[in-house]
Amino acid sequence: MKTLTATPETIRQTFGFQYIIPDYQRPYSWGNDECVQLWDDITEAFAANPAEHYFCGTIVVYIPNGNKKRYIIDGQQRLTTCILLLKALYEQASTVTVLPNFIYVSDVLTGNRTNELRIESLVTANDQNDLKNVLENGSRNVKKLNTFESNYNAFSDKFKEWRSGKTPEEINSFILFVLDNVELLPLICEDEDQALIIFNTVNNRGMALSDSDIFKSQLYKAYRTEVERKKFKDTWDSLTDPLLLFRIYMNIIRAREEKTGWSTELKLRKFFDQRKTFNNPKDTVDDILKIQNILTPEFSDKSIILFNILKTSPNFFWAFPVYCYLFKYAQNDVDNESYSIPNCKEFESLLEALLIFTFSKGIIYNSADKVKFTSFKGCVEIMNGNTDFNRIFDAALTTTEKSVLLTCLESSDFKKYWTGIVYLASYLNPNQDPALYKNIFGKDAYDIEHILPKHGFNNYDNWTEEEYNNSLWNIGNLVPLEKKKNIQARNFFFRKKQESYQKENNVQDIQDLMKLNDWGYQEFKNRNDEKIKLLKTFFRV
């Protein structure tokens, strides 16, 4: 049985060792709030009883054979913050010349301080350089500080405020309290594997370990050579959103292995902890990379448009059948960065069926609960090779539900789905060019324009107040418009708005509005009736 030692250490004892932060750890991320909380806890403990000990938290380390350095598996945030505190204390109490001994390593023969820091970060070059600079020079006098400098300043300001009016004896007493009464509990493991296991289970007062950190550490330890680990770390750092990728991956695995649907998602960590997924790290990483490379499917203009309209949904359950399909059918185009699918029309059919189903259930019930089960069941069907998407999803809508949906469409009662419905209704314009319309889905590129101004009734183009109030949020009065033009249009009357509508080439609806002389109630009603008719046809009601 492997030995695990756990003996409380004072700050003085803790920083008698040198620490290495492995490269797979996350960068230093504590902010001023955590630092101020730590300061307040220490000063309150000192004020209450300077003879008592204050427990600061747990760290998990392992010491490789023949190496005296401690490798930090958990606790780097707290440990790094403590050394910043020691630096701040020394800068304002430089007569306490023992403090630098806990910041810099001492020569084992002469006892003289070297230039080597007690903490070395392998996470990023920036982290190590920033930490080194602040420990050597303090904070720069600039407006934009890095995290280390900002936290160092927070401690400096707090200590400066606290020491005001204190005698030298009181200040020295406080510094000795920090060194000899503030304690950490190092859990010292025999090897890295043992430390990583504990890392997965220890719950301490620091920033909560995310599922992403756990998955990263488990995959990291599954690789055996430094070359493999370095390659894995580079790959992991390229992932945009590991938790999202693992969430999708979990549902793909469940769909591949289960014969029926399921009603709820499982907790990610619990799901993967119960599996042997990480015993085959290369296969797992390859699967995760594939999912990342298919996150934004751009196989045709129509698929781009339907996918982005689905993304406006207030829940994410629609996405799992999409990614199950892509994971099953997407083919690598050799360079490992580009994927294609053999049947784009089939994929478009899936997106259309999902849009009809998801938006219908969402509008009818204003809840995600009615979407989940069929989406999960659809995942299983897709992974089993079923591509009859209308049977999978349209069959989940009853005749009664379709009748309710019809009423909602006719009254523009779209609940949380109104943005997506506006995009969809505009796309359904028979003269709309999909190659142009796909351009509206850039980041924050377009907004929803109210053709009839939404702030204040003013007998606009002879509208009555009742007509105005009843029509403002109806589909006939809503259209996508480039955000900059939407801001320019503001609350102007229609003919003034048309000046902002000029040069809008992507949206056919806007070009159609440019042909009108007025935006009266009849013009609105004609457009509203047209949009409702298009939506009813699309939703098959």
Side-chain angles (χ1 to χ4, degrees), residues 205-269:
R205 186 173 165 268
M207 295 183 70
L209 301 178
S210 71
D211 291 341
S212 179
D213 293 319
I214 300 300
F215 300 153
K216 181 181 179 182
S217 68
Q218 289 178 335
L219 286 166
Y220 182 89
K221 75 175 183 179
Y223 289 101
R224 293 303 173 187
T225 70
E226 287 304 315
V227 173
E228 289 176 329
R229 288 183 168 186
K230 175 65 167 61
K231 184 177 179 181
F232 163 72
K233 180 183 178 298
D234 292 341
T235 299
W236 185 273
D237 290 345
S238 72
L239 301 180
T240 53
D241 189 345
L243 281 185
L244 173 63
L245 299 176
F246 273 94
R247 184 184 179 194
I248 294 170
Y249 190 37
M250 176 181 70
N251 285 287
I252 289 172
I253 293 173
R254 293 183 74 183
R256 190 165 54 192
E257 297 180 354
E258 299 187 24
K259 295 182 179 180
T260 58
W262 52 94
S263 58
T264 59
E265 282 192 88
L266 300 176
K267 291 186 179 296
L268 276 181
R269 193 183 305 183

Side-chain angles (χ1 to χ4, degrees), residues 281-323:
K282 185 180 183 304
D283 292 344
T284 300
V285 171
D286 286 347
D287 286 346
I288 292 296
L289 281 174
K290 180 174 182 178
I291 296 169
Q292 170 151 291
N293 288 328
I294 58 176
L295 268 181
T296 306
E298 297 183 343
F299 304 122
S300 68
D301 295 339
K302 183 176 180 179
S303 67
I304 293 172
I305 293 166
L306 294 177
F307 181 80
N308 279 282
I309 294 175
L310 275 165
K311 283 175 66 176
T312 66
S313 170
N315 68 74
F316 196 67
F317 297 112
W318 60 269
F320 299 127
V322 172
Y323 291 118

Side-chain angles (χ1 to χ4, degrees), residues 493-531:
F493 282 31
F494 180 67
R495 286 175 295 281
K496 181 68 174 176
K497 280 176 175 281
Q498 284 180 311
E499 297 177 12
S500 300
Y501 293 168
Q502 293 180 21
K503 298 182 180 179
E504 172 51 72
N505 299 319
N506 292 324
V507 180
Q508 182 63 41
D509 277 356
I510 296 293
Q511 297 177 40
D512 292 345
L513 289 171
M514 291 296 297
K515 301 172 185 177
L516 299 177
N517 295 321
D518 296 297
W519 186 248
Y521 181 74
Q522 190 58 51
E523 284 80 7
F524 154 77
K525 190 174 185 312
N526 291 341
R527 184 174 188 273
N528 197 64
D529 291 344
E530 176 191 354
K531 291 301 176 186

Side-chain angles (χ1 to χ4, degrees), residues 48-219:
N49 189 344
E52 288 291 328
H53 286 254
Y54 168 71
F55 178 63
C56 187
T58 303
I59 62 174
V60 180
V61 302
Y62 80 98
I63 305 174
N65 289 334
N67 197 327
K68 294 184 179 180
K69 297 178 180 179
R70 293 177 170 183
Y71 283 70
I72 306 174
I73 302 301
D74 183 37
Q76 65 132 324
Q77 306 289 335
R78 177 176 293 101
L79 208 62
T80 303
T81 302
C82 285
I83 206 170
L84 292 174
L85 170 60
L86 295 177
K87 172 66 177 177
L89 295 178
Y90 179 66
E91 285 301 306
Q92 296 191 46
S94 55
T95 55
V96 186
T97 55
V98 73
L99 285 171
N101 292 339
F102 311 119
I103 298 173
Y104 295 95
V105 176
S106 298
D107 187 277
V108 293
L109 293 177
T110 66
N112 296 330
R113 286 196 300 271
T114 68
N115 292 325
E116 196 173 0
L117 296 175
R118 291 286 179 183
I119 297 179
E120 179 183 359
S121 174
L122 303 181
V123 178
T124 67
N126 285 342
D127 260 21
Q128 183 61 20
N129 291 335
D130 290 345
L131 178 59
K132 187 173 187 291
N133 286 337
V134 76
L135 292 179
E136 289 180 352
N137 307 311
S139 174
R140 298 171 297 161
N141 186 23
V142 295
K143 291 183 179 179
K144 187 173 182 180
L145 303 173
N146 62 52
T147 306
F148 298 95
E149 292 169 330
S150 177
N151 290 346
Y152 164 78
N153 279 355
F155 282 130
S156 294
D157 292 343
K158 284 292 184 180
F159 185 43
K160 187 175 182 179
E161 178 185 350
W162 178 88
R163 66 177 291 179
S164 178
K166 300 286 194 306
T167 65
E169 290 75 17
E170 290 173 316
I171 294 171
N172 290 339
S173 178
F174 174 71
I175 293 174
L176 287 173
F177 177 83
V178 172
L179 291 176
D180 297 323
N181 291 64
V182 175
E183 292 183 339
L184 291 161
L185 179 64
L187 302 180
I188 303 175
C189 307
E190 280 191 355
D191 58 36
E192 188 175 22
D193 285 351
Q194 182 189 30
L196 285 166
I197 291 170
I198 294 173
F199 168 76
N200 294 346
T201 56
V202 168
N203 180 24
N204 55 40
R205 186 173 165 268
M207 295 183 70
L209 301 178
S210 71
D211 291 341
S212 179
D213 293 319
I214 300 300
F215 300 153
K216 181 181 179 182
S217 68
Q218 289 178 335
L219 286 166

